[in-house]
Amino acid sequence: MQIKIKKLLACVCCLAMMVSVCAIPASSDDTDVDASTVESVDEEEYAADPDAVVRTEEEAMALMTLVAENKNMALYKNEDEATIALQDKNTGKIWWANPINADTSTGKKAQIQELKAGMTLVYAEPSKRRTTSVNSKMRGKAKFKDIKNGLEVTYTFSTADIKIPVTYTLEEDYLKLYVDTSEIEEKDSDKVVSDLSFLTTFGTATTDENGYFVIPDGSGALINFNNNKTGLKVYSGKVYGSDITAVSQTASAVTEQVYFPMYGIVKGNSGMMVVADKGDACASINAYVAGQNKTSYNTCYFDFEIRTDDEYLMGGDSNPLKVFEKRGILIPEIEVRYYPVSNSDRSEIDYIDIADKYRDYLTSDEYGVTKSDTVNDTSLYVDFYGAVLKQESVLGVPITMQHKTTTFSDAKDILSELNADGADSIVVNYNQWTTADIKEKVSDKAKPASILGGKSDFNDLLSYADSSNISIYPAVDNLTFKTGNGYWTMTDTAIRVSNAYSRQITYDLAYGIENKFYKAMSLLTPEVYGDIFTNLAKSYSKYGLTNISVGSASTVIYGDYGRKAMSREMVKYDLREYYQLLDDQVGSVLADGANAYVLPYVDHITNVPLNSSKFDIFDADIPFYQIVMHGLKSYSTTAVNGDAQIADLILKAVASGSNLRFDLVAEEANELKDTRYDVYYYADAQYWTEDAASCYKFAKDILSDVSDQKITEYNIISDNEIETVYENGTKTLVNLADRTVTKNGKVYSLYDYIGKEVIG
């Protein structure tokens, strides 16, 4: 009996020792700890270091060493703490890569270490179908090396056998963070880089600081420091939208797109504009406020998805399996630029200054966005929808046939009515005007559909437009397709990471699951974009067309993860080249929404939202996209007649200097039932032509003499009042409650242009 008790006590002691060992926190000296241990350590509450003393900036700077400097900035390092700092000489502001008093913060161990880290790595273990997150303080080490104009920091993670060199260099007006991914070392084939985040606390704000983050979500949004929204989810927005190659079985939440790969930090008289110059197509913007991560800091940063993953179901199993890209890294480079922002004209800066800095970046010789001639005019934007497939009963047999909704003759009549009602400048995006597009096949030729009136009626429409200050942009959209016209679903469909064909499904509006009424469509592989864009350029030019729109290509970017091996970043560079081809060989390009990479090659941008995704963490919506683009490119709203709050949309459009857009079809709404056009139930032209012209006249009377001017101020005075100031001195004051706009002392009432029964 005593022997048994002794054995039991020995087992208990051994178990206690094991628990004690597992509970020892890992130090930053790259201790090799099993991944299963990381989870238990990471969740451990961590009190502030009792020996830590709150430091002043002067005390922290005394520990820094100057690395490089120019007339605008100075870069410092502290190798002992593995951190850097950037000084803006214009303001004297020091931007710390890590908070100088992280050790005095409370939180969990992993969160405190994250505050002090220079890099966070997520590595995948494909054989185990899992990922593990580590940072350079908790599971890594950093080695510094001075180089010309900066330094190189090599981050090593021995638990994953991964080494990543990063360079930090001072350029003329920004700090450049750069990674050549070919230099990343992955020594264990079953532990590969999945996701990278750099300087996640650069410019972080404490609870004592006032300011906000500028987030380019939709039109734009602000997140105030210390907004007490600690119980909400942190913000994470995928730049340029999600990769649709992977297909979810349920519809995602409806959100706005992140069109710009940048964010801003505003702190009193200093700010920072941060832009992902390379690797942007695989980047996400993340932000949280003090308390959300259990620490007393507010921060915003990029992370980069280096390898894409996917999920699939095995047989009747309801738990999806995760799979990862099998090949090497398909993201050639990552570059993040940190631009200090200040304004010598006033002590405080705001998001206008951030917008100005990003505008300067876009219009630099390096990026190439130039001012379009189209900004010298205020126009009414119209989307026409030509024809659609519809199931008809022929002798009692259901047959899918082409169904015309707006013929070329109908379009001419509608435009004539708009002209007669006062719309004297119109930009038309004409959708599904070719037979191939109507039949849901790849359309790469300028060939007017016979069901819409053929070449004769199309030419008649173009002739009328030329004589009436109307620009027609014949559009094609080859996002999804059926076999035909030389393109085959067996060979030209994008492949998912799971090695399955990417079939895009239509979701039921009520339940968010697949709508079986519509067959899944094949997603076109980006590999054939070159042939399609080349054929379009030649065909449009041969036809004599000088305007073109290629639909969702300006907003939807995705990869092909089969044998073609194309990442979103690779496709981004291809799209820039193809849009430049259209710009050079056709002429004017209209973009149905525009991600940053197509901006140098487009003249018109439609469907620009006037709001953000309205996540709870946001504190205000701002027209950041519009502020950046006003006076550079002509842009329009989403469809006015498709909005539930028409008056608010029109007035907010005027406040942001935006043109108005309408969806119009010649068919009655009931004829669109059971077609892919049923979403345009509101677009019957016979009810909207006169009102669309009246709305246009309202906007034109206010905006015509500022269409080519920069927005220099945008002030949300109250819930109902918005003041906008332009560089020529023009001021507008929008009153949402009264439905009026005061411009330089003159009052314009929306009710004088359009009836209350329409706008409410």
Side-chain angles (χ1 to χ4, degrees):
M1 184 68 178
Q2 289 179 341
I3 295 175
K4 288 183 179 180
I5 293 174
K6 288 181 179 178
K7 286 184 177 180
L8 179 60
L9 289 173
C11 290
V12 171
C13 290
C14 288
L15 181 61
M17 290 174 66
M18 291 173 63
V19 172
S20 177
V21 169
C22 290
I24 296 175
S27 64
S28 60
D29 62 355
D30 210 20
T31 305
D32 192 4
V33 180
D34 185 80
S36 61
T37 307
V38 174
E39 295 181 5
S40 62
V41 173
D42 290 356
E43 293 303 314
E44 194 175 78
E45 289 293 338
Y46 178 72
D49 184 346
D51 297 324
V53 178
V54 175
R55 296 186 294 185
T56 65
E57 284 199 336
E58 291 76 14
E59 291 170 334
M61 278 300 293
L63 303 175
M64 307 294 285
T65 303
L66 180 66
V67 176
E69 67 177 326
N70 57 32
K71 64 179 182 180
N72 295 312
M73 298 172 295
L75 177 64
Y76 295 86
K77 68 176 180 179
N78 181 331
E79 292 194 39
D80 292 335
E81 297 182 15
T83 189
I84 62 174
L86 179 69
Q87 184 178 36
D88 178 3
K89 290 186 176 181
N90 294 312
T91 62
K93 173 71 175 179
I94 299 171
W95 294 89
W96 301 95
N98 305 96
I100 60 176
N101 289 305
D103 282 327
T104 65
S105 179
T106 58
K108 295 180 180 179
K109 177 67 176 179
Q111 292 153 347
I112 302 302
Q113 297 289 55
E114 179 77 20
L115 291 174
K116 299 161 63 178
M119 175 188 291
T120 298
L121 162 71
V122 177
Y123 66 88
E125 297 174 89
S127 65
K128 299 178 182 178
R129 304 191 187 282
R130 73 178 184 185
T131 58
T132 303
S133 177
V134 294
N135 64 59
S136 59
K137 277 293 183 181
M138 177 165 284
R139 295 290 182 271
K141 60 183 179 181
K143 182 179 180 181
F144 283 61
K145 175 186 174 183
D146 289 348
I147 60 175
K148 183 179 179 180
N149 297 326
L151 55 90
E152 179 182 79
V153 182
T154 301
Y155 297 96
T156 303
F157 302 89
S158 64
T159 55
D161 260 348
I162 291 173
K163 184 181 292 186
I164 304 166
V166 182
T167 61
Y168 302 92
T169 55
L170 279 188
E171 306 301 322
E172 181 180 0
D173 60 345
Y174 63 90
L175 170 67
K176 181 172 79 172
L177 180 157
Y178 179 79
V179 179
D180 180 347
T181 61
S182 67
E183 296 180 355
I184 294 177
E185 296 181 19
E186 299 168 315
K187 296 181 181 179
D188 185 340
S189 61
D190 197 43
K191 291 182 180 179
V192 295
V193 178
S194 174
D195 190 278
L196 290 175
S197 304
F198 309 93
L199 305 185
T200 60
T201 53
F202 185 96
T204 188
T206 67
T207 53
D208 297 326
E209 292 182 277
N210 295 318
Y212 51 81
F213 300 121
V214 181
I215 308 294
D217 181 289
S219 65
L222 303 180
I223 300 177
N224 292 331
F225 301 161
N226 311 308
N227 61 13
N228 295 319
K229 298 180 179 181
T230 57
L232 304 177
K233 289 184 178 179
V234 301
Y235 173 75
S236 182
K238 183 76 172 177
V239 174
Y240 308 144
S242 60
D243 188 333
I244 63 172
T245 311
V247 182
S248 174
Q249 296 303 304
T250 57
S252 302
V254 178
T255 59
E256 297 294 346
Q257 183 135 316
V258 176
Y259 297 99
F260 296 154
M262 55 75 61
Y263 63 87
I265 308 172
V266 173
K267 292 184 177 183
N269 68 342
S270 298
M272 184 66 64
M273 194 279 290
V274 186
V275 58
D277 183 75
K278 296 179 178 65
D280 44 316
C282 64
S284 294
I285 301 171
N286 303 276
Y288 59 79
V289 296
Q292 278 189 306
N293 69 334
K294 307 302 181 184
T295 69
S296 53
Y297 291 97
N298 309 264
T299 195
C300 189
Y301 63 94
F302 284 114
D303 72 63
F304 297 86
E305 184 182 47
I306 305 302
R307 282 185 173 86
T308 304
D309 58 51
D310 197 0
E311 294 181 340
Y312 72 95
L313 296 172
M314 288 284 289
D317 194 349
S318 60
N319 295 316
L321 298 176
K322 178 169 284 191
V323 291
F324 304 91
E325 285 185 66
K326 300 180 180 68
R327 56 183 58 81
I329 296 173
L330 300 179
I331 314 299
E333 302 169 284
I334 294 172
E335 182 176 318
V336 183
R337 298 181 178 186
Y338 299 83
Y339 289 85
V341 179
S342 59
N343 192 319
S344 59
D345 294 335
R346 58 181 187 271
S347 58
E348 298 286 314
I349 71 162
D350 59 22
Y351 50 80
I352 296 287
D353 299 292
I354 302 294
D356 285 345
K357 181 62 72 171
Y358 185 59
R359 183 189 180 103
D360 290 343
Y361 165 83
L362 291 176
T363 56
S364 66
D365 292 340
E366 184 180 4
Y367 205 90
V369 176
T370 58
K371 188 173 185 176
S372 296
D373 294 338
T374 56
V375 300
N376 297 315
D377 198 7
T378 299
S379 299
L380 173 66
Y381 284 71
V382 173
D383 267 55
F384 286 140
Y385 301 88
V388 68
L389 293 180
K390 185 176 183 179
Q391 203 171 80
E392 307 275 4
S393 178
V394 179
L395 299 177
V397 179
I399 298 177
T400 300
M401 303 174 64
Q402 297 178 57
H403 181 80
K404 57 187 178 183
T405 54
T406 310
T407 66
F408 301 134
S409 178
D410 291 333
K412 178 183 174 182
D413 291 341
I414 294 170
L415 292 172
S416 179
E417 290 180 34
L418 287 169
N419 267 168
D421 290 333
D424 52 10
S425 177
I426 306 175
V427 177
V428 177
N429 190 36
Y430 207 129
N431 302 279
Q432 291 194 274
W433 66 288
T434 70
T435 300
D437 214 358
I438 296 167
K439 290 184 176 181
E440 300 176 343
K441 299 178 181 179
V442 172
S443 180
D444 61 358
K445 292 180 177 61
K447 195 173 182 179
S450 57
I451 192 175
L452 300 179
K455 188 173 181 179
S456 176
D457 283 2
F458 184 66
N459 289 344
D460 190 37
L461 171 63
L462 294 179
S463 179
Y464 173 76
D466 287 341
S467 63
S468 306
N469 198 25
I470 298 172
S471 300
I472 305 287
Y473 286 79
V476 296
D477 195 334
N478 293 312
L479 181 67
T480 57
F481 75 109
K482 297 176 180 176
T483 291
N485 285 5
Y487 298 90
W488 310 91
T489 57
M490 290 294 291
T491 58
D492 298 318
T493 300
I495 303 299
R496 299 168 57 166
V497 171
S498 62
N499 211 34
Y501 287 117
S502 182
R503 310 289 192 194
Q504 301 295 300
I505 63 178
T506 301
Y507 298 100
D508 183 272
L509 295 177
Y511 301 103
I513 59 175
E514 183 178 1
N515 186 337
K516 298 289 187 179
F517 182 81
Y518 300 106
K519 292 183 179 180
M521 296 280 288
S522 292
L523 182 66
L524 186 70
T525 175
E527 187 188 41
V528 299
Y529 282 0
D531 292 338
I532 293 173
F533 277 77
T534 299
N535 291 341
L536 285 170
K538 290 180 179 177
S539 182
Y540 271 58
S541 297
K542 184 177 180 180
Y543 199 103
L545 296 171
T546 57
N547 299 327
I548 188 171
S549 170
V550 284
S552 57
S554 60
T555 55
V556 180
I557 184 169
Y558 55 91
D560 186 329
Y561 305 101
R563 61 178 178 81
K564 302 175 179 71
M566 301 181 71
S567 67
R568 278 165 50 112
E569 183 72 2
M570 296 162 65
V571 173
K572 178 197 75 175
Y573 286 111
D574 288 345
L575 283 170
R576 285 177 64 94
E577 179 183 334
Y578 302 146
Y579 266 85
Q580 184 173 12
L581 174 72
L582 297 181
D583 185 36
D584 292 340
Q585 296 191 14
V586 178
S588 183
V589 181
L590 179 146
D592 188 359
N595 289 335
Y597 51 83
V598 303
L599 291 176
Y601 316 109
V602 303
D603 293 304
H604 297 274
I605 307 169
T606 66
N607 269 326
V608 179
L610 290 169
N611 56 268
S612 72
S613 299
K614 296 189 177 296
F615 292 116
D616 290 339
I617 192 176
F618 292 163
D619 292 294
D621 280 1
I622 56 171
F624 187 81
Y625 192 104
Q626 291 86 345
I627 293 168
V628 171
M629 299 310 300
H630 201 275
L632 273 181
K633 306 290 181 182
S634 292
Y635 54 84
S636 77
T637 62
T638 54
V640 173
N641 52 338
D643 199 275
Q645 304 292 331
I646 291 175
D648 283 353
L649 187 151
I650 294 171
L651 291 165
K652 288 179 180 179
V654 169
S656 64
S658 181
N659 294 292
L660 304 178
R661 186 181 78 81
F662 286 79
D663 284 328
L664 297 176
V665 296
E667 281 283 348
E668 294 182 359
N670 63 301
E671 294 296 328
L672 305 178
K673 189 175 182 297
D674 295 331
T675 74
R676 294 188 186 274
Y677 278 179
D678 59 6
V679 294
Y680 304 115
Y681 61 89
Y682 55 81
D684 192 337
Q686 64 176 316
Y687 297 112
W688 280 107
T689 304
E690 183 179 352
D691 291 331
S694 297
C695 292
Y696 160 74
K697 287 188 287 185
F698 175 72
K700 179 186 177 182
D701 287 348
I702 300 168
L703 299 176
S704 59
D705 57 355
V706 295
S707 60
D708 63 343
Q709 301 290 301
K710 283 175 57 177
I711 294 175
T712 57
E713 290 185 47
Y714 186 88
N715 303 310
I716 303 173
I717 298 173
S718 67
D719 289 342
N720 290 317
E721 289 187 307
I722 305 169
E723 180 188 59
T724 310
V725 182
Y726 297 87
E727 62 180 329
N728 65 0
T730 298
K731 291 184 181 181
T732 63
L733 179 65
V734 170
N735 190 307
L736 298 173
D738 294 343
R739 308 296 198 222
T740 62
V741 179
T742 303
K743 174 188 173 184
N744 293 338
K746 183 177 180 179
V747 179
Y748 298 82
S749 174
L750 184 56
Y751 291 134
D752 291 340
Y753 292 80
I754 187 168
K756 290 185 178 181
E757 69 278 4
V758 177
I759 60 174

